């Protein structure tokens, strides 16, 4: 969700990529559904390891998962600012369909707020 939101809300100011230390192998369908419900085109995202980006230069590295924030990122060339936006993982939400949708909506809202406040 963060990749799509940053790229959409940044309107060309940023080129965001999303990756993780232990990728699931798929993008959760509720993430795509949530973005669409809020008017964002997620395109055709795929699950990526952050190892794919090792050795590349980034101006900013943002972690959104508390577990990932404590892990050592792969080496990225140059200096970069690191931010951590603690966001509950909606993929771990349990309950009714309505409760799960609410968890994804909340994550989307939290990320959007951080992007608008800290990046735009």
């Amino acid at each position: 969700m963060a990749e799509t939101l940053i790229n959409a809300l940044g309107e060309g100011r940023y080129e965001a990529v999303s990756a993780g230390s232990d990728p699931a192998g798929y993008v959760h369908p509720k993430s795509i559904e949530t973005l669409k419900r809020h008017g964002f085109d997620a395109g055709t995202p795929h699950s990526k390891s952050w190892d794919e980006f090792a050795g590349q230069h980034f101006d900013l590295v943002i972690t959104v998962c508390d577990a990932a924030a404590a892990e050592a990122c792969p080496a990225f060339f140059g200096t970069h600012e690191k931010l951590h936006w603690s966001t509950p993982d909606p993929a771990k939400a349990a309950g009714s369909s309505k409760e799960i949708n609410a968890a994804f909506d909340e994550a989307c809202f939290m990320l959007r707020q951080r992007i608008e406040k800290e990046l735009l």
Side-chain angles (χ1 to χ4, degrees):
M1 279 197 281
E3 177 183 322
T4 294
L5 290 171
I6 291 170
N7 286 332
L9 296 170
E11 298 179 331
R13 201 177 318 175
Y14 299 98
E15 181 183 346
V17 294
S18 180
S21 61
D22 187 23
Y26 66 96
V27 175
H28 199 292
K30 285 286 186 187
S31 293
I32 297 168
E33 180 186 309
T34 301
L35 287 165
K36 285 181 182 173
R37 192 170 54 251
H38 291 276
F40 294 96
D41 179 6
T44 53
H46 66 280
S47 176
K48 299 176 284 292
S49 167
W50 62 16
D51 292 337
E52 288 183 38
F53 302 101
Q56 294 187 29
H57 170 77
F58 290 94
D59 295 322
L60 187 58
V61 175
I62 303 170
T63 52
V64 296
C65 172
D66 289 335
E71 296 178 28
C73 290
F76 299 118
F77 286 128
T79 58
H80 60 269
E81 183 180 355
K82 187 173 179 182
L83 299 175
H84 177 62
W85 297 344
S86 180
T87 309
D89 185 354
K92 295 186 181 347
S96 69
S97 178
K98 186 177 179 180
E99 291 167 326
I100 292 170
N101 284 343
F104 276 87
D105 284 342
E106 181 182 353
C108 186
F109 179 72
M110 289 175 73
L111 290 168
R112 182 176 186 153
Q113 276 191 318
R114 298 296 294 258
I115 292 163
E116 290 175 340
K117 181 179 176 186
E118 298 182 36
L119 299 183
L120 304 181

